[in-house]
């Protein structure tokens, strides 16, 4: 059973949940809130004190100024604030998608806070040869959001990252008011800062944190751009990638199998 907690910081009220016992493991995404991680968090809770959270500006993590942007460096400071509130001097972290980008920023900004970071498919467009094209696509995506609305922006975003918007499962009902608000915050204040983030490779190399770059087993076949960005990061760090079950959302698709692989990766450190 999860314990829900909040921590007040200067510009926000951050919501996080704690479940299980053992070494502290932060499980985080962006822009998704804690809910998609519930199954894998439950599967990990027998071995870890699992911390999940809503990123700033998303769902239950409320900003004093709703128009404030949410770049990875600021989200990294939020992770440090949550761990401080929990009384954890150090932790392991699994970050997926924008959450992986957040984790990379934690390693650079808070040396030694993380023992191991598993960065699962960070969308680091800055590491690609055609980075400028991806930056422009993100700018255009935001413009579409403001001009044509959230539905059109999501369709364009999926195409940009390599997803066929007609190939996925049908939507289960209409999006809630919270879904709409979270999507609007993503396009208005999260997307550009996340897409253009360039990790501090030298800080990642010299730091005490063990960095693992995770890639989904089906991500390349799925056509997702995060296969290329993950491999580009691993190459810059001089390491290989570690395969996880499923694709970009493997932690949702196969939570039990995904948790077992994650536990083995963490134990290897």
């Amino acid at each position: 059973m999860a314990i829900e907690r909040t921590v007040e910081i200067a510009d926000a009220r951050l919501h996080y949940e704690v479940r299980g016992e053992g070494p502290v493991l932060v499980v985080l995404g962006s822009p998704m809130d804690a809910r998609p991680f519930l199954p894998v968090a439950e599967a990990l809770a027998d071995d870890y004190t699992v911390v999940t959270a809503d990123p700033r500006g998303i769902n239950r993590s409320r900003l004093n100024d709703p128009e404030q942007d949410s770049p990875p460096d600021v989200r990294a400071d939020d992770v440090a604030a949550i761990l401080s509130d929990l009384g954890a001097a150090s932790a392991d972290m699994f970050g997926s998608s924008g959450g992986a980008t957040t984790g990379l920023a934690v390693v650079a900004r808070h040396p030694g806070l993380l023992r191991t970071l598993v960065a699962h498919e960070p969308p680091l467009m800055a590491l690609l040869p055609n980075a400028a094209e991806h930056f422009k696509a993100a700018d255009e995506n935001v413009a579409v959001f403001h001009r044509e609305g959230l539905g059109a922006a999501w369709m364009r975003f999926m195409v940009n990252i390599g997803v066929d918007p007609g190939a996925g499962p049908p939507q289960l009902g209409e999006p809630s008011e919270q879904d709409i608000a979270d999507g609007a915050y993503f396009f208005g204040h999260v997307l550009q800062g996340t897409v253009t983030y360039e990790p501090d490779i030298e800080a990642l190399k010299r730091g005490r944190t063990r960095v693992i770059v995770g890639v989904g087993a089906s991500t390349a076949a799925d056509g997702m751009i995060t296969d290329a960005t993950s491999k580009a990061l691993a190459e810059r760090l001089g390491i290989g990638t570690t395969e996880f079950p499923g694709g970009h959302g493997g932690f949702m698709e196969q939570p039990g199998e995904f948790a077992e692989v994650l536990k083995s990766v963490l134990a290897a450190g």
Side-chain angles (χ1 to χ4, degrees):
M1 180 156 180
I3 300 172
E4 298 193 25
R5 299 183 63 160
T6 58
V7 54
E8 301 274 355
I9 57 175
D11 59 352
R13 186 172 186 263
L14 305 174
H15 179 277
Y16 69 99
E17 300 173 359
V18 183
R19 51 175 54 82
E21 294 182 355
V24 176
L25 171 62
V26 178
V27 175
L28 190 67
S30 178
M32 54 280 213
D33 63 17
R35 292 174 296 177
F37 295 96
L38 175 59
V40 74
E42 293 286 359
L44 292 163
D46 287 342
D47 300 280
Y48 292 92
T49 298
V50 184
V51 179
T52 55
D54 295 349
R56 60 172 43 229
I58 299 294
N59 199 354
R60 297 159 292 185
S61 286
R62 305 300 175 88
L63 295 171
N64 297 344
D65 175 9
E67 296 304 312
Q68 183 182 18
D69 289 340
S70 175
D73 283 347
V74 175
R75 300 199 303 267
D77 293 346
D78 291 345
V79 172
I82 288 171
L83 289 176
S84 177
D85 185 67
L86 190 62
S90 63
D92 294 316
M93 179 171 173
F94 168 78
S96 188
S97 194
T101 307
T102 303
L104 295 168
V106 173
V107 175
R109 291 176 65 82
H110 301 276
L113 182 60
L114 299 182
R115 297 181 295 262
T116 297
L117 167 67
V118 179
H120 181 255
E121 303 205 2
L124 299 171
M125 308 304 185
L127 302 186
L128 300 180
N130 58 343
E133 296 176 20
H134 291 288
F135 296 166
K136 182 179 178 182
D139 291 342
E140 292 172 348
N141 209 152
V142 172
V144 167
F145 163 66
H146 289 297
R147 186 174 64 245
E148 302 177 33
L150 189 57
W154 275 124
M155 292 288 284
R156 184 181 182 89
F157 174 76
M158 288 191 289
V159 171
N160 287 346
I161 63 174
V163 176
D164 177 0
Q171 291 290 331
L172 299 178
E174 293 297 315
S176 68
E177 289 186 12
Q178 188 63 59
D179 293 333
I180 293 170
D182 291 346
Y185 187 74
F186 170 61
F187 286 108
H189 301 286
V190 180
L191 175 60
Q192 288 166 305
T194 299
V195 165
T196 58
Y197 178 78
E198 186 166 1
D200 187 337
I201 298 297
E202 291 307 312
L204 296 174
K205 284 183 173 180
R206 69 172 177 264
R208 290 173 287 168
T209 301
R210 182 174 64 120
V211 178
I212 306 296
V213 180
V215 180
S218 66
T219 299
D222 293 341
M224 288 281 291
I225 191 66
T226 47
D227 181 74
T229 57
S230 300
K231 290 174 179 175
L233 173 63
E235 182 178 1
R236 296 283 186 95
L237 293 175
I239 61 176
T241 58
T242 298
E243 185 176 281
F244 282 81
H248 190 61
F251 57 91
M252 294 182 287
E253 300 158 8
Q254 304 174 49
E257 296 89 338
F258 199 99
E260 289 304 313
V261 173
L262 180 55
K263 285 190 283 188
S264 68
V265 168
L266 293 173

